[in-house]
Amino acid sequence: MNLVSLQNQLDNLSFGILLLTMLIYWVGAAFPKVPFLPNLGTTGMAVANLCMATLLGARWIEAGYFPLSNLYESLFFLAWGITAMHLFAESISRSALVGVVTAPVAMLITAFAALTLPGDMQASAPLVPALKSNWLMMHVSVMMLSYATLMVGSVLAIAFLFITRGQEIELRGSSFGGNGYRLTSSLATQNVAAISSTEPMTLGIDSGTTAVLELPTMAATAILSPQRLGLADTLDNISYRIIGLGFPLLTIGIIAGGVWANEAWGSYWSWDPKETWALITWLVFAAYLHSRITKGWQGRKPAILAAVGFVVVWICYLGVNLLGKGLHSYGWFL
């Protein structure tokens, strides 16, 4: 089969599968009692991941170099990374809500690559001299994986903000190794006031041997339902883990890029717009991890930082490349 024709079929197929998978996850969130929808959604993400891996492999064979030299290839590599991180996040969280927020991101990326980019930007082309290096695979692939990982972690933090609806809740388990959650003192006071004298409170011991004040279900639903609180705790925990994985990848990618820049242009750092925004991205997520590890922040405050990081990653990856002039630009679109 013609490899170019195969790529055209696979990019459209990836988009179609991700669109269908997104709808499956959304219907599953609306009707959680339907048992087969979560497994169907996971299967859809796995199939889309395989299709994009095959597309990238076909492009690699056709062009003769690792497929990360233009915007089309990097978008599909990013979408592949997001679906891979989705499968990892879903396996450790065991929550189908992960797909509710990650599937639309992956679907929109593939739609942009397959349906929006002009044909000349989708076609493979000979590498410019600066890209004819093993650093193309070592630097760019690590950076793209870091973007995918940080995007998944950040979008889960955004989902946390949506689930909690602006309520301040104090979580445990994401930074300190325990499990569960507890309401802040002000919310706890409101809940205690809502408890009738005939509904006693109990003192339970969780798996981390920490005493937890367990309020009756009616008191918890006065602010957020126990299901939403448990879901928020899961999202906060998994978001922290995923970002904790993406940050070292980003660090390694920036260092590798500096070494490659010195080899290609004789300077480790030239304050190119892409380099500047990569540093800003690193600082935002460094602040996120510092706030959680050192300051012990959990819940809403670090989630807001991660949401800011989601925007910054997109500016670093796409905004600078499309709208800026520099060594990493795909074109001047203004």
Side-chain angles (χ1 to χ4, degrees), residues 286-305:
Y288 171 88
L289 292 174
H290 174 75
S291 70
R292 298 204 65 139
I293 296 171
T294 305
K295 299 296 184 180
W297 287 9
Q298 295 189 41
R300 187 169 179 78
K301 289 181 180 179
I304 292 173
L305 265 178

Side-chain angles (χ1 to χ4, degrees), residues 49 53 66 78 89 100 126 156 179 210 223 279 282 284 292 321 328:
N49 179 272
F66 194 69
L78 179 66
V100 174
L156 292 175
N179 294 307
T210 303
I223 304 300
L279 178 61
W282 189 90
V284 169
R292 298 204 65 139
N321 291 56
H328 298 79

Side-chain angles (χ1 to χ4, degrees), residues 175-326:
S175 300
F176 304 111
N179 294 307
Y181 60 84
R182 55 177 184 241
L183 301 174
T184 58
S185 57
S186 60
L187 296 183
T189 301
Q190 296 175 29
N191 277 341
V192 170
I195 302 173
S196 67
S197 59
T198 59
E199 293 176 322
M201 294 178 291
T202 60
L203 188 64
I205 305 298
D206 70 1
S207 59
T209 67
T210 303
V212 181
L213 190 62
E214 298 177 352
L215 300 177
T217 301
M218 188 183 75
T221 55
I223 304 300
L224 291 176
S225 68
Q227 292 80 9
R228 280 185 176 269
L229 286 170
L231 185 57
D233 184 57
T234 299
L235 287 173
D236 182 73
N237 192 302
I238 199 66
S239 172
Y240 171 56
R241 294 187 185 187
I242 296 297
I243 291 175
L245 176 62
F247 183 74
L249 290 174
L250 179 64
T251 304
I252 294 170
I254 291 174
I255 294 172
V259 176
W260 187 14
N262 183 65
E263 179 183 291
W265 300 302
S267 173
Y268 288 100
W269 194 271
S270 58
W271 294 105
D272 179 75
K274 185 79 166 185
E275 296 172 351
T276 303
W277 277 98
L279 178 61
I280 293 171
T281 304
W282 189 90
L283 291 173
V284 169
F285 286 103
Y288 171 88
L289 292 174
H290 174 75
S291 70
R292 298 204 65 139
I293 296 171
T294 305
K295 299 296 184 180
W297 287 9
Q298 295 189 41
R300 187 169 179 78
K301 289 181 180 179
I304 292 173
L305 265 178
V308 172
F310 182 76
V311 177
V312 171
V313 168
W314 274 110
I315 294 174
C316 178
Y317 165 61
L318 200 58
V320 172
N321 291 56
L322 294 180
L323 303 178
K325 289 182 178 179

Side-chain angles (χ1 to χ4, degrees), residues 3 17 32 46 56 81 83 122 152 194 204 239 247 269 285 292 298 332:
L3 290 177
I17 291 173
L56 293 169
T83 55
Q122 295 186 18
V152 171
S239 172
F247 183 74
W269 194 271
F285 286 103
R292 298 204 65 139
Q298 295 189 41
W332 179 251

Side-chain angles (χ1 to χ4, degrees), residues 2 6 10 27 39 64 84 91 96 103 131 153-154 164 177 209 233 235 249 258 265 283 288 313 330:
N2 184 286
L6 175 63
L10 286 172
V27 172
N39 290 334
S91 67
L131 296 180
S154 298
T164 56
T209 67
D233 184 57
L235 287 173
L249 290 174
W265 300 302
L283 291 173
Y288 171 88
V313 168
Y330 293 121

